[in-house]
């Protein structure tokens, strides 16, 4: 089934075209023309979302779960066409698109189950104590309630799992919040077909059309108008530090500021402890190269930095990494802009004081090949540029003289999505020294694995202190991510006949 996009926005159930257009830049296949978004369309979509909230925000959990499952069914019904347009637009291989579709429908179904269980409501009850002295206590009940319309920005690097019907949308809809998505220009056709699936699910479930809208971008005014719209209650975003920070600042400057849940940059450091590296340095080097080059390194959890203790064992690990990376072929990047940022980031790193090239590559246009650099811990800690994310398959080895210096590297890290310890039993003392530092820096600390591959489950945290995210109390993956779109409300002395159903 071939899908040809019509290029329109989905605004509260209507497909609407606009005069101004932009053209997609697929990695292969034909380019298509898309209507560019406008602030007027944003206003229309958000007002419809607010109207829909009065129904959808008060729908039963069973009805919302049914809707999430219906979206998953409608996505599956379009599986082949989604993969076809997705691979064309992003250059990602078919296997990746199929896997990401499974993750997307899995997330929707997981949230359906999660809300049916009801634990997320975090219901609490302090019964009245009429005889308490010196003052009686009233009856107090608490429950989490949905916040209202939510804005979601599609991510360039996850055309399905973090875009139109991705994690942010699934969490918001599960909570009871209507969603307005701003599509990413890297995959507008993929956004359109997924929006079609949501549109069909809305009709099937008899929900108000304003529960979901998709506005394609084409200009910055769309995203800005969306986060500044007075009826938007929160924003979910995955993207660059610069873009995320600009939108975060706009949210903070609103007359009524709102939370901006941005998942931004991270270099995901790995600490290679001495016994582990002595026992299996070559294997770890190969493993790092595989994780670094996977998906052309376009993952927020890409492990960009490995910290080692100087010595022959570390040299063997580095050589194994270099050898494995030098065999990796070129891979198409998501957009021309991302490919340009990658090559200029690699060039900038090569020019920093003390940085040694271990593997340099020549990238053609939208293609990425791996880079590997090395620097001493002393040079690394003194230079913030070296701690910044270069989005793509670029690795930096940081060489510490001793455990003290390795710990100093951990202390100087900025906020991270993940931090990894590669360790054996004999490394436990050093690992115990590093852990208290790393858990202050990262949302997820892992041992003896690679951080790419983020499980969607109850215990996952995909977030971390700034700049990994703009809100260290939150996660954008897993069932806990629903909390971003909820707000605790206390009901004092309300009679049973008036309390919301979930408290009754
Ligand atoms: P981006 O430039 O931050 O864009 C993400 C979204 O935000 C797009 O919809 C973009 O709209 C919008 N946006 C950005 N700046 C804005 C502003 N000032 N005002 C209004 N809207 C704004 O990210 P990207 O396009 O995905 O990729 C660019 C770079 O982001 C990559 O090279 C990489 O460094 C980084 N990135 C990081 C992650 C991660 O998870 N850490 C993931 C993806 C990308 P427009 O399309 O109109 O610009």
């Amino acid at each position: 089934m071939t899908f040809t996009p019509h290029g329109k926005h989905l605004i509260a159930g209507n497909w609407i075209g606009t005069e101004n257009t932009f053209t997609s830049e697929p990695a292969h296949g034909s380019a298509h023309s898309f209507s560019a978004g406008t602030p007027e369309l944003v206003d229309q979509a958000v007002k419809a979302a607010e109207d829909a909230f009065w129904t959808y925000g008060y729908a039963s959990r069973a009805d919302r779960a049914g809707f999430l499952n219906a979206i998953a069914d409608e996505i599956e019904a379009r599986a082949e066409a989604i993969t076809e347009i997705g691979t064309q637009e992003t250059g990602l291989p078919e296997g990746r698109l199929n896997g990401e579709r499974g993750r997307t429908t899995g997330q929707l179904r997981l949230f359906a189950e999660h809300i049916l269980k009801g634990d997320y409501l975090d219901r609490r009850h302090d019964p009245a104590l009429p005889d308490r002295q010196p003052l009686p206590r009233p009856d107090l009940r608490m429950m989490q309630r949905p916040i209202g319309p939510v804005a979601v920005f599609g991510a360039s690097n996850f055309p399905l799992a973090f875009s139109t019907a991705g994690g942010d949308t699934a969490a918001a809809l599960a909570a009871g919040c209507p969603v307005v998505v701003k599509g990413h220009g890297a995959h507008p056709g993929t956004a359109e077909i997924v929006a079609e699936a949501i549109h069909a699910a809305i009709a099937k479930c008899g929900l108000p059309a304003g529960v979901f809208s998709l506005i394609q971008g084409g200009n910055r005014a769309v995203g800005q108008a969306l986060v500044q719209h007075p009826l938007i209650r929160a924003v979910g975003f995955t993207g660059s530090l610069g873009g995320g920070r600009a939108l975060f600042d706009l949210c903070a400057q609103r007359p009524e500021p709102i939370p901006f849940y941005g998942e931004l940059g991270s270099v995901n450091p790995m600490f290679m402890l001495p016994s582990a590296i002595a026992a299996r340095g070559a294997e770890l080097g190969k493993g790092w190269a595989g994780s670094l080059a996977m998906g052309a390194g376009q993952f927020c959890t890409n492990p960009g930095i490995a910290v080692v203790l100087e010595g022959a064992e570390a040299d063997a690990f580095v050589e194994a990494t270099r050898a494995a990376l030098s065999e990796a072929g070129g891979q198409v990047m998501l957009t021309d802009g991302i490919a340009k940022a990658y090559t200029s980031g690699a060039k900038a790193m090569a020019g920093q004081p003390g940085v040694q090239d271990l593997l340099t590559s020549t990238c053609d246009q939208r293609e990425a090949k791996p880079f590997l650099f090395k620097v001493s811990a002393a040079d690394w800690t003194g230079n913030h540029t070296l701690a910044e994310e270069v989005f793509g398959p670029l690795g930096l080895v940081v060489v510490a003289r001793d455990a003290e210096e390795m710990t100093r590297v951990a202390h100087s890290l900025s906020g991270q999505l993940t931090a990894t310890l590669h360790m054996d039993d004999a490394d436990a003392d050093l690992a115990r020294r590093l852990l208290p530092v790393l858990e202050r820096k990262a949302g997820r600390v892992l041992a003896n694995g690679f951080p790419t591959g983020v499980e969607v489950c109850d215990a996952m945290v995909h977030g971390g202190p700034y700049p990994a995210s703009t809100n260290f109390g939150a996660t954008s993956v897993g069932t806990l991510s629903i909390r971003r779109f909820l707000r605790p409300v206390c009901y004092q002395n309300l009679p049973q006949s008036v309390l919301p159903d979930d408290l009754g």
Side-chain angles (χ1 to χ4, degrees):
M1 179 168 80
T2 295
F3 171 73
T4 307
H6 50 58
K8 294 179 179 166
H9 313 273
L10 176 63
I11 309 294
N14 299 308
W15 290 101
I16 298 179
T18 42
E19 206 176 304
N20 291 334
T21 57
F22 68 96
T23 306
S24 62
E25 293 174 14
H28 43 83
S30 330
H32 295 282
S33 176
F34 289 85
S35 295
T38 63
E40 292 70 33
L41 285 177
V42 168
D43 184 53
Q44 230 174 296
V46 177
K47 282 182 175 152
E50 172 66 15
D51 282 349
F53 181 70
W54 292 106
T55 314
Y56 188 69
Y58 298 86
S60 70
R61 286 182 278 132
D63 284 352
R64 298 205 307 276
F67 177 42
L68 294 168
N69 285 327
I71 297 174
D73 292 344
E74 292 294 337
I75 288 175
E76 274 156 13
R78 291 162 177 78
E80 243 175 75
I82 289 175
T83 297
E84 188 191 42
I85 185 107
T87 49
Q88 284 173 5
E89 290 189 326
T90 62
L92 293 170
E94 200 178 306
R96 159 72 193 272
L97 260 292
N98 287 337
E100 207 183 306
R101 191 184 65 250
R103 182 188 165 119
T104 307
T105 53
Q107 271 172 179
L108 289 158
R109 296 190 195 285
L110 179 70
F111 271 113
E113 268 174 42
H114 187 61
I115 57 172
L116 285 176
K117 280 189 231 150
D119 299 353
Y120 81 100
L121 294 167
D122 194 10
R123 288 173 279 211
R124 296 161 192 225
H125 185 197
D126 294 303
L129 300 174
D131 302 326
R132 190 180 69 172
Q133 292 301 328
L135 287 171
R137 183 173 78 182
D139 184 82
L140 296 150
R141 292 170 192 263
M142 193 286 291
M143 180 172 68
Q144 299 285 341
R145 299 297 287 146
I147 56 175
V150 165
V152 170
F153 283 72
S156 60
N157 59 338
F158 279 93
L160 301 173
F162 272 96
S163 288
T164 315
D168 290 336
T169 299
L173 291 177
C177 301
V179 170
V180 179
V181 170
K182 189 260 169 193
H184 197 287
H187 44 74
T190 314
E192 182 182 307
I193 189 169
V194 175
E196 256 188 30
I198 301 177
H199 184 42
I202 289 173
K204 213 187 218 176
C205 298
L207 294 172
V211 102
F212 174 84
S213 291
L214 165 73
I215 306 181
Q216 303 282 9
N219 62 72
R220 288 275 155 97
V222 177
Q224 289 164 1
L226 188 55
V227 303
Q228 289 179 304
H229 197 289
L231 294 172
I232 287 291
R233 304 282 85 206
V235 183
F237 174 94
T238 298
S240 69
L241 179 55
R245 182 60 198 243
L247 293 166
F248 170 86
D249 288 343
L250 287 179
C251 287
Q253 286 156 12
R254 290 165 45 123
E256 187 187 353
I258 53 167
F260 176 85
Y261 295 103
E263 197 258 89
L264 312 176
S266 196
V267 289
N268 304 295
M270 299 193 304
F271 289 79
M272 319 303 294
L273 304 195
S275 294
I277 232 175
R280 51 199 152 85
E283 187 195 320
L284 289 173
K286 254 178 131 173
W288 184 27
S291 179
L292 201 58
M294 188 166 53
Q298 300 168 114
F299 289 109
C300 7
T301 49
N302 203 32
I305 288 185
V307 190
V308 298
L309 293 183
E310 69 184 359
E313 284 93 352
D315 292 346
F317 157 74
V318 172
E319 177 46 30
T321 310
R322 195 201 61 76
L325 283 177
S326 64
E327 281 168 21
Q331 295 179 74
V332 183
M333 296 199 91
L334 292 160
T335 65
D336 293 348
I338 287 176
K340 260 192 216 132
Y342 174 60
T343 40
S344 64
K347 203 166 154 204
M349 183 163 290
Q352 294 298 314
V355 169
Q356 227 182 301
D357 289 349
L358 299 179
L359 177 67
T360 50
S361 304
T362 317
C363 304
D364 297 326
Q365 294 182 344
R366 201 159 149 179
E367 184 194 62
K369 284 186 188 154
F371 286 84
L372 186 65
F373 298 103
K374 184 164 124 177
V375 71
S376 72
D379 281 332
W380 187 85
T381 46
N383 184 351
H384 275 289
T385 322
L386 294 174
E388 284 167 15
E389 178 187 48
V390 178
F391 199 61
L394 180 149
L396 175 65
V397 181
V398 178
V399 185
R401 281 193 310 269
D402 50 28
E404 209 51 57
E405 207 175 38
M406 187 178 254
T407 313
R408 270 205 296 281
V409 170
H411 274 287
S412 29
L413 288 167
S414 54
Q416 303 291 330
L417 292 169
T418 71
T420 302
L421 292 164
H422 284 281
M423 58 174 290
D424 278 354
D425 288 349
D427 295 313
D429 281 348
L430 180 52
R432 269 195 298 272
R433 267 170 74 182
L434 287 167
L435 184 60
V437 187
L438 297 181
E439 69 181 18
R440 288 193 68 187
K441 302 286 182 177
R444 176 165 56 113
V445 181
L446 59 150
N448 297 328
F450 295 94
T452 36
V454 184
E455 188 69 27
V456 182
C457 60
D458 289 335
M460 180 48 66
V461 174
H462 189 66
Y466 187 83
S469 82
T470 52
N471 188 317
F472 55 63
T475 172
S476 61
V477 175
T479 52
L480 191 59
S481 67
I482 197 173
R483 285 298 284 269
R484 297 172 299 166
F485 308 123
L486 295 166
R487 182 172 79 74
V489 177
C490 176
Y491 302 88
Q492 183 171 330
N493 279 346
L494 260 72
Q496 196 75 35
S497 57
V498 176
L499 280 172
D501 287 348
D502 278 328
L503 275 182

